[in-house]
Amino acid sequence: MKEDKKLSVTAIQNGTVIDHIPAQNLFNVISILGLDQITENLVTFGTNFKSDRLGRKAIIKVSDKYFKDIDINKIALVAPNAKLNIIKDYEVVEKRQVIVPTEINGIARCMNPKCITNNENIVTRFSVLDRNGSISLKCNYCEKITDQQHLQIIR
Amino acid sequence: MKNKSLVSIADYTKEEYLEILRVAAEFEKNPVQKILEGRVVATLFFEPSTRTRLSFESAVNRLGGRVIGFTDSSSSSVSKGETLKDTILTVSNYSDLIVMRHPLEGSARYASEVATVPVINAGDGANQHPTQCLLDLFSIQKTQGTLENLKISMVGDLKYGRTVHSLLMAMSYFNPTFNFIAPDELKMPEEYKLFLDKKGIVYHEFTELAENIKDSDIIYMTRVQRERFADPLEYEKVKNVYILKNKMLEGTKDNMKILHPLPRVNEISTDVDSNSKAYYFPQALNGVYTRQAIMAKILGLK
């Protein structure tokens, strides 16, 4: 298994490896972290690796980039079990986990079509409710709850 | 409470509710107090709600203040495509307080973030209508002499009715027991029942009306609306089940009062109106006192 991974996604010398991303949310993670916008760093990713826990998982490697907690925690919405490996000189020097933030600004859309945030140009704001391990968002404006199943990322 | 917007019933504490009710009782004794002299209240009704608007405007007038505003968005710059933000920022310059009604949920919260004057939410879509809730509390306290340990039956549309949800949240401070009487399609949502479970508040659910109101202190009626049913046949089945008739009131408690946020259509039979337990019209009058109290507190005049 390990051998496969190495072949599919090249090892990086320095940077961050984000592992255990649910395969279906790979592009959401890329979008939330703005990896589709950066022009400098080398970004490689692979998806549909077999995973006991997730079924299919994705992995992203970003060269020469180290994320701040506040940024990386934003991906908790779509990849709550993601693990980060901080790589220096081909060695894992630190492992980090995503922590579910208590508040989310922007990023997600409120599922209520009658919410003011879906009708005027307003940055969405949610408090994060963690119910039995499943994350849902309570809109600061319309007070309605958007569950994981209806979660939409603003791209 | 001074300068604090009232958007959601959760914005205020139990002590703040009780303080508003105390001041409302003062206004009931002495309704004409010109403490708003020289002040301007803007009533921005982006959708029509005649009853709520008149109640607020009556309250402002009794306080000696002046009202500016519009009664629906077709007569305002909204129809030209102005954003809510721009409307609120502009009107903030013209008034000391904004009262707003808007069809979109969350609009009042957003307005309160943008405005430079306090905002009172007079209804934002199906979300919140806190002044209705406070006048309901005032009516309950006035007729029962207390808010504590009461048995409250909520009847009709408990799924979409924002007034019953707000009242449930507000009453949860006062150890009530609830009866939820509704058709299966319009039952009290799970999230509110979980909230009550967490607070250890007892509730019972029924589909039958007449049998389950005998021990109530308050019956809170709401309307079962045809448009809430996906299947018109389901509506036909239940439409006459949740109509309160005078003869059902036999054997109910002497102190019991019937409340309704109004407008009523047919869910309370007109033969109930002359029963001394009918309280929905005095309840509307209480709305004026309560709104006087809310505005006076927010403007720091009481």
Side-chain angles (χ1 to χ4, degrees):
Chain A
M1 260 327 278
K2 237 181 171 176
E3 204 59 35
D4 281 347
K5 257 189 265 176
K6 269 184 194 158
L7 289 173
S8 311
V9 186
T10 354
I12 54 174
Q13 186 174 4
N14 294 301
T16 307
V17 176
I18 309 169
D19 198 359
H20 297 286
I21 300 166
Q24 70 273 19
N25 285 333
L26 168 65
F27 290 97
N28 281 331
V29 171
I30 288 174
S31 157
I32 290 170
L33 293 175
L35 300 179
D36 48 353
Q37 305 291 335
I38 57 173
T39 50
E40 297 291 308
N41 314 60
L42 193 66
V43 181
T44 53
F45 59 84
T47 188
N48 293 334
F49 296 109
K50 283 209 184 81
S51 159
D52 290 341
R53 208 146 26 113
L54 299 169
R56 294 176 303 118
K57 70 168 187 175
I59 187 165
I60 302 174
K61 300 188 179 191
V62 190
S63 287
D64 303 313
K65 189 164 176 72
Y66 304 98
F67 295 92
K68 293 195 191 105
D69 282 349
I70 191 164
D71 292 325
I72 205 74
N73 287 344
K74 290 176 183 171
I75 71 169
L77 286 184
V78 293
N81 300 314
K83 304 244 182 331
L84 270 75
N85 292 326
I86 315 300
I87 312 286
K88 290 201 172 138
D89 207 14
Y90 295 107
E91 296 287 327
V92 177
V93 294
E94 192 191 339
K95 284 176 183 280
R96 273 199 273 159
Q97 285 196 327
V98 170
I99 297 163
V100 180
T102 54
E103 211 179 86
I104 289 278
N105 296 332
I107 303 174
R109 196 183 299 287
C110 179
M111 72 177 276
N112 176 9
K114 286 194 74 190
C115 178
I116 187 76
T117 60
N118 288 318
N119 292 273
E120 260 196 46
N121 187 18
I122 299 173
V123 178
T124 58
R125 248 170 73 194
F126 300 93
S127 46
V128 180
L129 311 172
D130 196 348
R131 284 177 175 167
N132 314 322
S134 154
I135 293 168
S136 53
L137 301 178
K138 186 174 182 191
C139 179
N140 171 62
Y141 293 97
C142 75
E143 306 182 21
K144 297 281 179 296
I145 290 169
T146 299
D147 57 21
Q148 191 99 49
Q149 196 191 336
H150 295 96
L151 197 71
Q152 245 193 323
I153 301 298
I154 300 171
R155 295 194 184 199
Chain B
M1 232 174 295
K2 194 181 170 189
N3 290 327
K4 188 168 163 187
S5 290
L6 176 57
V7 172
S8 169
I9 200 67
D11 291 352
Y12 282 26
T13 63
K14 177 184 178 182
E15 287 66 34
E16 286 173 322
Y17 292 148
L18 293 173
E19 173 61 10
I20 287 169
L21 301 192
R22 187 189 67 73
V23 176
E26 252 180 51
F27 280 114
E28 185 188 15
K29 286 197 201 92
N30 186 11
V32 183
Q33 300 184 41
K34 301 289 180 191
I35 54 175
L36 236 63
E37 197 98 61
R39 307 284 183 125
V40 176
V41 174
T43 52
L44 310 185
F45 279 65
F46 295 88
E47 68 176 359
S49 172
T50 310
R51 190 176 316 274
T52 304
R53 183 173 56 82
L54 293 182
S55 176
F56 267 106
E57 294 186 355
S58 170
V60 175
N61 280 300
R62 286 182 180 174
L63 294 172
R66 303 299 294 260
V67 175
I68 58 170
F70 47 84
T71 57
D72 72 90
S73 53
S74 66
S75 61
S76 81
S77 48
V78 178
S79 60
K80 298 175 193 159
E82 189 180 50
T83 63
L84 177 61
K85 181 181 179 182
D86 288 9
T87 306
I88 296 297
L89 279 174
T90 309
V91 175
S92 287
N93 296 323
Y94 305 153
S95 59
D96 301 293
L97 177 67
I98 292 173
V99 174
M100 70 174 272
R101 170 85 159 211
H102 199 288
L104 291 175
E105 289 144 28
S107 53
R109 175 73 62 204
Y110 179 60
S112 75
E113 291 175 356
V114 173
T116 55
V117 297
V119 172
I120 296 177
N121 182 6
D124 60 328
N127 185 31
Q128 290 275 334
H129 190 3
T131 64
Q132 174 71 47
C133 183
L134 280 157
L135 80 89
D136 291 339
L137 286 186
F138 182 75
S139 299
I140 293 170
Q141 188 184 51
K142 191 181 150 189
T143 58
Q144 306 301 320
T146 178
L147 290 170
E148 302 282 347
N149 310 315
L150 296 173
K151 180 134 196 178
I152 297 175
S153 292
M154 297 177 163
V155 182
D157 180 355
L158 307 186
K159 184 172 179 187
Y160 300 101
R162 68 181 169 199
T163 53
V164 293
H165 300 156
S166 299
L167 186 62
L168 177 153
M169 306 286 276
M171 284 304 296
S172 70
Y173 290 113
F174 306 102
N175 190 39
T177 309
F178 290 110
N179 281 345
F180 300 141
I181 303 168
D184 283 335
E185 292 81 358
L186 300 176
K187 277 168 66 174
M188 184 62 76
E190 227 28 66
E191 56 180 295
Y192 292 101
K193 288 189 268 180
L194 282 174
F195 171 82
L196 295 178
D197 288 339
K198 250 186 220 163
K199 291 200 113 188
I201 293 169
V202 179
Y203 58 88
H204 309 282
E205 294 187 274
F206 303 104
T207 51
E208 214 281 330
L209 175 58
E211 298 297 306
N212 297 304
I213 54 174
K214 301 294 181 204
D215 58 347
S216 304
D217 299 302
I218 293 289
I219 300 179
Y220 199 96
M221 295 294 299
T222 64
R223 188 152 58 99
V224 174
Q225 297 177 66
R226 182 191 301 267
E227 55 269 30
R228 298 300 189 197
F229 289 80
D231 181 355
L233 198 64
E234 291 303 316
Y235 172 74
E236 291 303 317
K237 275 191 221 159
V238 301
K239 70 173 182 185
N240 292 321
V241 176
Y242 301 94
I243 294 178
L244 190 65
K245 301 190 182 75
N246 198 34
K247 66 174 190 300
M248 294 180 185
L249 300 177
E250 281 168 28
T252 54
K253 289 169 79 172
D254 291 340
N255 64 306
M256 189 275 279
K257 295 289 180 214
I258 302 154
L259 302 187
H260 189 299
L262 301 180
R264 157 182 65 171
V265 178
N266 67 341
E267 58 277 18
I268 302 175
S269 168
T270 49
D271 66 3
V272 176
D273 295 358
S274 54
N275 192 311
S276 62
K277 292 173 182 175
Y279 195 72
Y280 26 96
F281 293 113
Q283 181 188 1
L285 173 60
N286 291 339
V288 178
Y289 305 138
T290 309
R291 289 176 175 124
Q292 282 182 296
I294 293 166
M295 289 190 282
K297 288 302 290 185
I298 289 177
L299 290 171
L301 303 170
K302 276 279 174 185

